[in-house]
Amino acid sequence: MNLVVCLKQVFSTEAKIRISPDGRAVSDEGVEWVMSPYDEYALEEAIRIKEATGAGTIIAISIGPDRCTPMLRSALALGADRALHLKDPMFDSVDALGVARALAAAIRRNPCDMVLFGRMGVGMDQGVIPAMVAELLGAPMAGLVVKITVDAEKVRCVREIDGGSEVVEMALPAVVTAQKGLNEPRIANLKGIMAAKKKPLDLLTAADLGLAAPDLQDVRLVHESYELPAPRTAARLLQGDPADTARQLVQILRNEAKVI
Amino acid sequence: MGTPAVKVREGTPPADAPETEAPAGAKGSGGFLTSPVSAAGVFVREMFTPDQLDFADTARKFVDTEVLPRLDEIEHKKTVTVGDAEMLLVVQILKKSGELGLLGAEVPEEYGGLGLDKITGMLIAESMSGCPSFSTTVGAHAGIGTMPIVIFGNEEQKQRYLPLLASAEIVSCYALTEPGSGSDALSGKTRAVLNADGTHYAITGEKMFITNGAWADIGIVFAGIDGKYSAFIVDLRSPGVSRGAEEKKMGLHGSSTTSLTFDGTLVPRENLLGKPGDAATIALNILNLGRMKLGFGSLGTCKFAIDRTVAYGRERRQFGRPIIEFDMQKGKLGTMVARTYAVDALGYRVVGAIDAEIAKLPKGEGYQQAVAGVLRNFALEASILKIAGSETLHDVLDSAVKMHGGYGFVEEYHVERLARDNVIDMIYEGTNDINRMVIVDSLVRAIYGGVIGSREYMEQVDSALRTGRLEIPAVDGPLGQEVARVAAAKRAVAFAVNEMILNCGTDIKNEQQVMQAIADALIALYGMESTLARALAGRARPIPAAIARLIVHEGSQAIARLTAEVLSHVVTGGRLPAKLARLDALNRQHGAVVDTMALRTRIADSVIEAGKYNL
Ligand SMILES: Cc1cc2nc3c(=O)[nH]c(=O)nc-3n(C[C@H](O)[C@H](O)[C@H](O)COP(=O)(O)OP(=O)(O)OC[C@H]3O[C@@H](n4cnc5c(N)ncnc54)[C@H](O)[C@@H]3O)c2cc1C
Ligand SMILES: Cc1cc2nc3c(=O)[nH]c(=O)nc-3n(C[C@H](O)[C@H](O)[C@H](O)COP(=O)(O)OP(=O)(O)OC[C@H]3O[C@@H](n4cnc5c(N)ncnc54)[C@H](O)[C@@H]3O)c2cc1C
């Protein structure tokens, strides 16, 4: 069974979030980048499927700048056979649909039985790309999957739904997104890390993928602005009898908080 | 390689010019004492390769997911059932770490390991920390229990044992200490007698305090053959081996420490490591590795304790504020962070230099012996690392416990256990006293042997001090003052070493307090120079620069005190006042007004903001 896993690099959950001066982006200065945690489940599942079926290849794909290389390398260390790094200045300004087009183009060139994603990239939390890719590939999709069973022609997925679970069956090729609980990702083996150096990690540009400027310049969604939540201030305890504290509270609400 | 962001003004004697060719003290034997202060060629952690970072990541994740959540169970020696065998949880975890390859990093690839360099081995040791009972179990198995076979084993022994050890299918230990033979490690009474057929040695004797004693399958056991102290690979499941009860220890409760008694235990002749009489070579080389690993384990635990303390101090509020915001606590935290950074800098400087030397060796026949030769040359630096690591950790944990208030005294918050566990770091792998003697011993040998060209240097220093022409370079750029201060400190230490040699001669051995002071001065010097080099290699970014300023200042002051103490003891008669005055002049000229309090606050603030040790 041939599998593709799409990986996104995101801020480590410990990262301190800052907004860029123009307010239109989240600053990545000094931030540690990691594989999106849901993508780890997707990758782990692909490795388990390959181990269980004993055949096929796993291709890890990511779209992004140079900093993605270590993440792809660690995917190879964990068990992917090949990595594709989609890198092109043209990708910098695309929206989610542009990313989906690039991924779909790469997947079409590497036909597979199943494409696995994390349910969303942690941080931006959009979760729209898997559905777009499924649509572009004309493949069925199951999201928020917590259990996968495959055979030669179809895949059965258990999905988390409100208050219970649902079982769906899809003909292959199909797209699946991983939810927490699907598995417990392994830790890279030191021998795997060594072996990863010998596995192919190919760079592909927009041209390599047969994508032309019009495909990528069709930006329909722009990020207008970002805002941080207001900083939490320490609670203040008002002292005095009820009438007095009520008076103080009104003063504060009117003069300091300016909400009444 | 990083180049220092300093410019040396004209008129500087070549002795202190940053060089690119011969990095400071890059060949060991205390050569740093007489080399120029320079960041060039000094390995720092900022130079790790992506692979090395991945290896460390695996080690750290393994500890975070498999070990830390089970610390209490390990501490109370929980057993688990695997298949139909019962084993201790800590042994099961050891075996799991073997499956990931964490125990075979330094075992050559052809014997089932990864054949990685020492930097990586040490980085893995640093990363598998914060859990000393587990770390010591790993160290006794993969370090001192395996490396004797890697370095001194013959082909057959390597093929037979190393794959099983790298995967931890069998567990090893290292049995050198005896009830009557601890620091004087080669004086053991255990005997090995060849049988009449010449096929087996019969080993008789008792070993004491053996880590992994309760569960090891094999051991590296030391015994005398006709007065020649030797090392054997012994199957501990064979008849005539008995294991004593677990010692009731102050710390490391999750590890096993027992005696091992051999009563005519038969060991096949082919299990002799090296030749009869090789014990000293084997033991000393293995100790060098073990000492460095211990230093790096301590380093990792320092960072772990800092992280716990910062997290605790941000949560815990008293007087309406998180306690970490109180100035006194910031002062402590700043010191903890700066000293940890210094151990990091000096530790990777040592292994970086070792790997650079090993990389020059031709592969093939005799390679491992040549590696052992390199390790031997770094005995002095290995001892510095062991002492600096274990004693810095001691101080860091002392502060960590206190900053936790009453909660630092109870089990739940980890630091209580770490503080108990750390005590043994200052006792095993050679007590820190013995390691201080190793430092001075190695230096004196290197000086007498002309290994580090220090005679001429010391004469230069002596005459410079006499004439008052100190020839300390003036250096521009960030940390220029610190470069000059380290150069001055080197001269002060060289001066004191010279006086020690001139006045004590061969009697040094009986002047152990002098040796201790000289060792402490060398430790301070190596720490401050390495810290400075690391800060310079990183283009003197603000926090590393603040740390370098603090460490150089504190080191200079310690050196001023220690060298004066040495002189006051060894220089006799009327010559003392003049000599002390020279030392004073040196210290005065290169003293500096440094606001150490502000530096500590600054360092602490950056770590508090990051929420963890982030350097
Ligand atoms: C938990 C634990 C685990 C251990 N694991 C192992 C192991 O796996 N394998 C193994 O072989 N050993 C092991 N040891 C033994 C350990 O290495 C020794 O305890 C250590 O070397 C000190 O020896 P000793 O206890 O006999 O102390 P001693 O040598 O009796 O020392 C007592 C004191 O005298 C000082 N002293 C000794 N000689 C001198 C001198 N010449 N000059 C000045 N001062 C001196 C020492 O510094 C020390 O302060 C372990 C010990 C412990 C407690
Ligand atoms: C074994 C044991 C027995 C005890 N017995 C008793 C008992 O019998 N009766 C009883 O009432 N209590 C008892 N205690 C409680 C003990 O008195 C407290 O633990 C102690 O007062 C410290 O308080 P804390 O633990 O809340 O630490 P915290 O007050 O939270 O202090 C944590 C750290 O912050 C520092 N800190 C706090 N405030 C400031 C500040 N303003 N400026 C700078 N630094 C600051 C502290 O010095 C400390 O380093 C006991 C505790 C233990 C562990």
Side-chain angles (χ1 to χ4, degrees), chain B residues 348-407:
Chain B
Y348 285 105
R349 178 183 179 188
V350 178
V351 284
I354 289 176
D355 273 343
E357 288 298 299
I358 290 177
K360 294 179 195 159
L361 303 173
K363 286 264 160 89
E365 191 74 13
Y367 173 75
Q368 289 296 347
Q369 268 72 19
V371 169
V374 172
L375 291 175
R376 206 154 42 237
N377 291 341
F378 284 87
L380 182 151
E381 287 80 3
S383 288
I384 288 184
L385 173 51
K386 195 257 177 179
I387 297 170
S390 58
E391 293 182 5
T392 298
L393 178 58
H394 181 77
D395 295 348
V396 163
L397 289 171
D398 186 53
S399 294
V401 167
K402 288 171 183 161
M403 289 166 78
H404 277 73
Y407 302 90

Side-chain angles (χ1 to χ4, degrees), chain B residues 174 176-177 182-183 209-211 257 424 427-428 431 433 437 512:
Chain B
Y174 181 82
L176 176 64
T177 304
S183 297
F209 293 139
I210 307 309
T211 303
T257 313
I424 191 62
I427 297 172
Y428 63 11
T431 67
D433 299 338
M437 293 195 284
Q512 289 192 338

Side-chain angles (χ1 to χ4, degrees), chain B residues 282-293:
Chain B
I282 296 174
L284 297 183
N285 279 296
I286 295 310
L287 276 175
N288 280 344
L289 272 178
R291 285 169 183 164
M292 289 193 281
K293 283 248 166 81

Side-chain angles (χ1 to χ4, degrees), chain B residues 488-517:
Chain B
K490 280 195 185 193
R491 284 157 172 74
V493 177
F495 184 55
V497 168
N498 199 31
E499 291 297 331
M500 170 186 78
I501 291 174
L502 291 177
N503 292 291
C504 301
T506 50
D507 205 31
I508 298 176
K509 290 230 165 332
N510 301 319
E511 295 285 6
Q512 289 192 338
Q513 293 186 62
V514 172
M515 293 175 86
Q516 186 179 14

Side-chain angles (χ1 to χ4, degrees), chain A residues 14 18 188-191 197, chain B residues 51 58 99-100 112 609 612:
Chain A
E14 287 171 9
R18 291 191 187 87
N189 184 304
L190 266 56
K191 287 205 167 111
K197 285 195 287 196
Chain B
D51 278 355
T58 287
E99 287 163 22
L100 277 183
E609 187 185 334
K612 60 175 185 185

